Amino acid sequence: MGKASGDPSAVVDSKLRVLGTTGLRVIDASIMPQVTTKNINSPTIMIAEKGSQMILDDWGSNYWHLPF
């Protein structure tokens, strides 16, 4: 999942941003290094909640002023 010390297999950093790109995050179950043996729904929801909060923190108060 996250970039460990020199881990060549890491795809995303600790803020779920895809390494080697800009403006792209992966916020789903595919970032888990090992899939759980039980219900995958709960960890996936927790990843989504944390990822959405990271996006809001990065955008700050400017997010709500974008013209949609």
Side-chain angles (χ1 to χ4, degrees):
M1 176 174 118
K3 190 173 184 180
S5 57
D7 183 9
S9 64
V11 178
V12 295
D13 64 5
S14 61
K15 288 194 156 205
L16 307 177
R17 296 176 296 208
V18 177
L19 299 175
T21 63
T22 56
L24 179 63
R25 293 181 196 244
V26 175
I27 304 176
D28 62 10
S30 68
I31 66 162
M32 288 190 244
Q34 294 179 341
V35 179
T36 59
T37 58
K38 302 289 181 180
N39 186 359
I40 197 168
N41 189 37
S42 296
T44 304
I45 290 172
M46 291 176 13
I47 290 169
E49 288 178 353
K50 182 66 176 174
S52 63
Q53 188 61 52
M54 287 180 194
I55 291 171
L56 290 175
D57 291 344
D58 286 350
W59 279 87
S61 60
N62 295 330
Y63 177 77
W64 302 110
H65 300 291
L66 294 175
F68 289 108

